[in-house]
Amino acid sequence: MDKQQEQKGASHSRRKALKGLIGLPFIGGIAAGAYIEVRKKQQEKEQILRELNIEAERPEIASDMSGEPIRIGIVGNGGRGQHLVRVLGFATSAWLQAMQEQSNTGALEAYFSQENLNVKLTGVCDVFDINAELAQSASPDCKRYRHYEELINSPDIDAVVIATPDHWHAPVAIAALQAGKHVYVEKPMTHKIAETYVLREAARSSKAIFQVGHQHRQTQSFITAQDIIRKRVLGHVSLVQANTNRNSDNGAWQYHIHEKASPQTINWDLFLGNAPRIPFNKEHFFRWRKWWAYGSGLSGDLMTHDYDRVNCILDMGMPRFVTASGGIYTHRDGRDVPDVFQAVMEYPDFTTGSSREAGLEKGMTFVYSATLGNQHWRETLLMGHDGTLELGSQLRVHADPNSTRYRHLIESSVMDPSVPIYAYDPASGNADGVTSATSKYFAQKGLLWTYRGGKRVDSAMLHLREWLGAIRNGTPVSCGIDEGFEEAMSAHMAGLSWKLGRRVEWDGTAEQIIAQPGEDLDAVLVAPGHAIAGMMG
Amino acid sequence: MTYSKPQLFILIALRLFAGWHFLFEGFIKFLTPGWTAQGYLMSAQGPFAPFFQWLGNDSLIGISDTLTALALSAAGLALILGIWEKAGAYIGMAMLAFFYLAHPSWPGIPAAGPAEGNYFIVNKNLVELAALGVLAYFPTGHLWGLSVFFNPQADNAAQSTVHHG
């Protein structure tokens, strides 16, 4: 009986233990499963990152800002000029008040936390009294000069920031360089072909530092993209597409016309400069981007951004051929620059390197496509045999399903062509091989990591800082005269092609745009766009 | 509380499945380097979005991340092991309520991410939340789980379920 009871008791204990510990094997299974899952993903990610070997960030050349303050004069203190002056450290009280009223704490925080660049704003030249007074209100040292020559030749000015309408860029920049003053000029660098050569000569023969205002060269993702090309991650890039999509009055250059604008407050003759003489016209003054006489349409105003974005990554230089088309289809308001515009640039001798047999791959097309009548977002894409780079403030690289370089990794399922193999967000400073669907989703929305990392810094401030560093310490600038020359000439070719209705060719040896006998290309370039038959809709 | 055999079987299966789900989610978060809920929190939608964005801000996200992984693991362990299962179920329900409210599947609110199904007000988070409510009020750990060792009537209770099944 006792023995039976003992056996029964033992069996009870065993059953009790079994029932009590039922969860333990599950925990072991879950832990092992989680470990294997995470390790596999990590190994795949590491394998991809090792294969790509991309340096997400390179150490910045931190140029010292100490020493005597650099005395800066602003020529053209309109919308862009005021922005540049602000990132130099001179916000107007009107701007500060407006930001407070809009509760734009981000902008105010960014302004008050920005680095002191150790500069003085000592001069302003603007043909509109209100703009000149705004600069003076932002800096007690700021003297108003009625003519840019006076500002340039003043002993109180070391360096000049030029943010005038396009047709004044080169004349002011050339005069400043010839006077030995450092120049930061907004894009496009020039408005006409002939002055582009003169400006290049002036910059080359001057000791002064010259920088074109393509501030995106400071954007960390572009610096990372340069390394992606250097490491041949994309293979041979045969097609690049960049786009502008805007759908607002402001985006179509329908800027506000100031209520105080009048022949008394605007020096109209000085505004016109080398443009055709016409009577005082407020719309031409405030919305000058709409006319070839002062601006350069989508090719000079916006395509230059994309051209230089790609040129700073690929360094492809001048296109051999440019073909452009488009028309005035969305804003038939009297403007003569196109509002829908496509330019196709050919680089038959350019290559980013090849993973295939020698000689098979060479040549690239750059397609720029723009409309001011729709704002659907289209990515900038660099399309190579081995991969595609999506370029923005963030970066994403997809392997191409038929890549030669990544064939083994795709076949072994380490790489999935439908998921980015590399994603980079400069805000976080994190490089990551994105592997999960949700990560991909958040990366696309721009939400992943965006709130991590350091404070936001204005890239125009960094670009100006680079220029000031070059002035102080001789460190390099990223958008000097050669880059500016390529940007300006490419834009001029696109504008010419649109106006001439034919393919325009670049003679690389003679470094000039090929003209037909008797053709004055500069005259064509600045002529009213109405001359294009059938393009006015 | 006594259960019939099928009742006991299905309740234990539910407890183990829910526990498995929570524990695996918790472990994955602990083990994945650089895992963060920040993207999920910052993209929160609906009336409680400001609260979740506050949880996801730079100064709090470290705590939010740790607490998320800890809470998921704790709920999972309690359910799988069959001890303190009521507390585990409540923690799990709280987490699911957070997940649900951060991206509620209400009309007019965009989905948090690619979904494998279609949801109108009720989604799988809400269903699992209700399932955890069942587990909180129909405990089984004292019959099959660590609580057996703290339950002097375990044998009788277990016997009775079999006999009255």
Side-chain angles (χ1 to χ4, degrees), chain A residues 16 19-20 30 441 447 451-452, chain B residues 38 58 80 112 145-146 148 158:
Chain A
K16 197 172 171 182
K19 287 178 176 181
I30 291 164
Y441 175 80
L447 286 162
Y451 296 84
R452 279 246 166 111
Chain B
Q38 198 162 28
D58 281 346
I80 286 197
L146 275 186
V148 163

Side-chain angles (χ1 to χ4, degrees), chain B residues 32-152:
Chain B
T32 305
W35 172 82
T36 174
Q38 198 162 28
Y40 191 84
L41 291 169
M42 298 315 288
S43 66
Q45 304 265 359
F48 303 100
F51 168 68
F52 292 107
Q53 281 155 9
W54 173 74
L55 285 178
N57 76 44
D58 281 346
S59 49
L60 272 186
I61 187 62
I63 300 167
S64 301
D65 283 348
T66 309
L67 283 183
T68 302
L70 211 59
L72 292 172
S73 305
L77 276 174
L79 292 171
I80 286 197
L81 290 173
I83 188 165
W84 303 309
E85 53 194 309
K86 196 161 191 169
Y90 280 144
I91 292 170
M93 286 165 80
M95 295 308 289
L96 287 166
F98 275 8
F99 298 155
Y100 180 79
L101 291 174
H103 293 270
S105 51
W106 298 343
I109 295 180
E116 79 286 38
N118 300 289
Y119 306 111
F120 173 67
I121 300 174
V122 174
N123 65 9
K124 288 183 184 174
N125 282 333
L126 212 52
V127 174
E128 193 171 16
L129 192 152
L132 289 189
V134 171
L135 293 176
Y137 289 97
F138 295 88
T140 51
H142 61 293
L143 302 171
W144 285 81
L146 275 186
S147 300
V148 163
F149 300 118
F150 309 101
N151 175 21

Side-chain angles (χ1 to χ4, degrees), chain A residues 34-78:
Chain A
Y35 177 73
I36 291 165
E37 170 87 7
V38 169
R39 207 176 71 143
K40 182 170 166 276
K41 277 188 186 162
Q42 275 303 108
Q43 282 174 342
E44 284 176 2
K45 194 160 97 176
E46 278 160 22
Q47 198 180 347
I48 290 171
L49 291 177
R50 215 170 29 244
E51 166 75 30
L52 302 180
N53 185 28
I54 298 164
E55 284 179 72
E57 286 183 59
R58 285 181 298 148
E60 216 172 287
I61 304 164
S63 223
D64 189 12
M65 287 290 123
S66 63
E68 281 292 302
I70 293 174
R71 298 165 306 167
I72 290 177
I74 173 83
V75 182
N77 194 39

Side-chain angles (χ1 to χ4, degrees), chain A residues 320-396:
Chain A
R320 174 84 179 279
F321 304 106
V322 179
T323 314
S325 81
I328 303 164
Y329 302 147
T330 69
H331 289 78
R332 297 173 57 184
D333 55 5
R335 68 182 61 201
D336 72 358
V337 298
D339 46 29
V340 174
F341 182 78
Q342 335 293 320
V344 181
M345 302 190 179
E346 304 296 342
Y347 301 84
D349 298 319
F350 179 74
T351 183
T352 51
S354 176
S355 59
R356 307 178 79 189
E357 61 256 50
L360 189 66
E361 296 176 314
K362 193 174 88 165
M364 180 185 86
T365 296
F366 174 95
V367 180
Y368 172 74
S369 166
T371 174
L372 300 183
N374 170 287
Q375 64 176 49
H376 181 79
W377 175 254
R378 291 183 289 166
E379 297 279 0
T380 297
L381 296 176
L382 279 66
M383 301 178 194
H385 170 70
D386 294 315
T388 302
L389 171 67
E390 287 173 44
L391 180 69
S393 60
Q394 303 184 15
L395 280 183
R396 275 190 298 274

Side-chain angles (χ1 to χ4, degrees), chain A residues 187-422:
Chain A
K187 56 85 216 168
M189 187 180 83
T190 62
H191 186 238
K192 299 169 196 69
I193 300 158
E195 65 189 17
T196 313
Y197 296 103
V198 181
L199 177 54
R200 185 169 68 168
E201 191 45 44
R204 283 179 176 173
S205 56
S206 170
K207 286 199 178 103
I209 304 295
F210 178 82
Q211 171 108 300
V212 182
H214 281 299
Q215 72 276 0
H216 56 78
R217 283 184 179 253
Q218 307 300 327
T219 306
Q220 199 62 53
S221 57
F222 287 80
I223 296 169
T224 307
Q226 288 169 352
D227 200 52
I228 287 175
I229 296 302
R230 209 174 298 122
K231 303 279 168 59
R232 300 190 171 188
V233 168
L234 307 180
H236 173 73
V237 174
S238 56
L239 183 61
V240 174
Q241 71 162 45
N243 312 284
T244 297
N245 279 65
R246 290 179 170 188
N247 198 12
S248 67
D249 282 347
N250 198 57
W253 311 313
Q254 284 291 86
Y255 297 150
H256 172 67
I257 293 176
H258 201 284
E259 51 282 359
K260 288 190 180 156
S262 76
Q264 284 71 49
T265 54
I266 291 172
N267 183 341
W268 179 247
D269 282 344
L270 189 52
F271 165 77
L272 285 177
N274 55 30
R277 304 277 111 187
I278 60 162
F280 178 76
N281 184 319
K282 287 182 197 177
E283 198 183 11
H284 277 232
F285 183 77
F286 287 99
R287 300 171 177 174
W288 54 266
R289 289 169 206 263
K290 289 163 53 177
W291 288 277
W292 286 103
Y294 333 102
S296 27
L298 280 162
S299 53
D301 211 282
L302 295 176
M303 187 190 77
T304 47
H305 277 303
D306 290 285
Y307 167 83
D308 192 69
R309 261 151 47 103
V310 176
N311 196 30
C312 92
I313 294 166
L314 298 181
D315 195 19
M316 73 279 185
M318 286 303 298
R320 174 84 179 279
F321 304 106
V322 179
T323 314
S325 81
I328 303 164
Y329 302 147
T330 69
H331 289 78
R332 297 173 57 184
D333 55 5
R335 68 182 61 201
D336 72 358
V337 298
D339 46 29
V340 174
F341 182 78
Q342 335 293 320
V344 181
M345 302 190 179
E346 304 296 342
Y347 301 84
D349 298 319
F350 179 74
T351 183
T352 51
S354 176
S355 59
R356 307 178 79 189
E357 61 256 50
L360 189 66
E361 296 176 314
K362 193 174 88 165
M364 180 185 86
T365 296
F366 174 95
V367 180
Y368 172 74
S369 166
T371 174
L372 300 183
N374 170 287
Q375 64 176 49
H376 181 79
W377 175 254
R378 291 183 289 166
E379 297 279 0
T380 297
L381 296 176
L382 279 66
M383 301 178 194
H385 170 70
D386 294 315
T388 302
L389 171 67
E390 287 173 44
L391 180 69
S393 60
Q394 303 184 15
L395 280 183
R396 275 190 298 274
V397 178
H398 280 84
D400 192 274
N402 279 317
S403 159
T404 302
R405 175 172 168 178
Y406 306 124
R407 184 174 295 148
H408 62 291
L409 292 172
I410 293 169
E411 279 170 2
S412 60
S413 301
V414 172
M415 273 188 188
D416 176 356
S418 70
V419 170
I421 54 171
Y422 186 83

